[in-house]
Amino acid sequence: MSRSLRRISPCLHPLMCALLLSAGLALAACSGSGPLNGDSLQATLDSGTPGQAVTLQGGGYTGVFEVPSGLTIDGAGSVLAGTSEGAVLTLEVRTGDTTVLRNLTLKGVAGGLVVSGRGTLRLENVTVSTERGVALAVENVALVARDLNVSGVVEGPDDPVLDTLGET
């Protein structure tokens, strides 16, 4: 099952957005005409199940996001912009699961993509950059990458993004 994120009218009440989400219609924004709402994206990701595909409709999302194990996310050219609260995307891939990220740009402030677990991560046409911290941190995961661009700096052994992986 594939879900598409769409911008909708800002006049919808948040309760209506929640009802539409629970009915299986994923939304990218429930209010305003500015940047797309990252809370709606996280709610959509949280409702995903292994093997499910989530397709974004392009545009930008701001926040820090956790991706459930086993999802396929097609960003369709979307940009996920992080905050100073941590890595843009964090995921733990369970044994036997394959999580796929494709056609996506991650722009971190304090980290890009942090991955742990025992499964497989496929990155296809993904760009990860960060102003500080680790752009890409992978621990105990089989990584399959095609057209991957990574840039960023590690601030040192006490970098807070490394704490996500249990490094001290």
Side-chain angles (χ1 to χ4, degrees):
M1 177 179 182
S2 179
R3 292 186 177 189
S4 294
L5 296 177
R6 301 181 190 121
R7 268 196 99 112
I8 62 168
S9 170
C11 64
L12 283 181
H13 187 276
L15 178 58
M16 177 61 81
C17 292
L19 290 173
L20 290 171
L21 281 170
S22 67
L25 176 61
L27 307 174
C30 289
S31 64
S33 60
L36 299 176
N37 186 325
D39 292 337
S40 295
L41 174 57
Q42 186 61 62
T44 299
L45 296 175
D46 290 343
S47 68
T49 58
Q52 184 176 28
V54 176
T55 300
L56 309 182
Q57 294 298 316
Y61 303 81
T62 300
V64 292
F65 306 99
E66 292 185 21
V67 178
S69 184
L71 285 185
T72 293
I73 299 174
D74 188 333
S78 295
V79 176
L80 303 185
T83 68
S84 60
E85 296 175 16
V88 178
L89 282 182
T90 302
L91 52 131
E92 183 172 345
V93 186
R94 295 186 307 243
T95 302
D97 283 353
T98 298
T99 299
V100 180
L101 304 176
R102 69 171 58 105
N103 305 318
L104 191 60
T105 297
L106 307 177
K107 292 187 175 185
V109 173
L113 175 60
V114 176
V115 185
S116 62
R118 299 278 183 202
T120 301
L121 174 65
R122 286 182 36 209
L123 301 175
E124 302 169 359
N125 191 28
V126 173
T127 298
V128 184
S129 64
T130 187
E131 295 174 16
R132 59 185 170 81
V134 178
L136 176 61
V138 178
E139 182 174 55
N140 298 322
V141 172
L143 177 63
V144 179
R146 183 175 50 89
D147 197 14
L148 173 64
N149 297 295
V150 180
S151 63
V153 296
V154 175
E155 293 184 344
D158 60 345
D159 192 300
V161 174
L162 295 176
D163 292 340
T164 306
L165 294 174
E167 305 295 324
T168 55

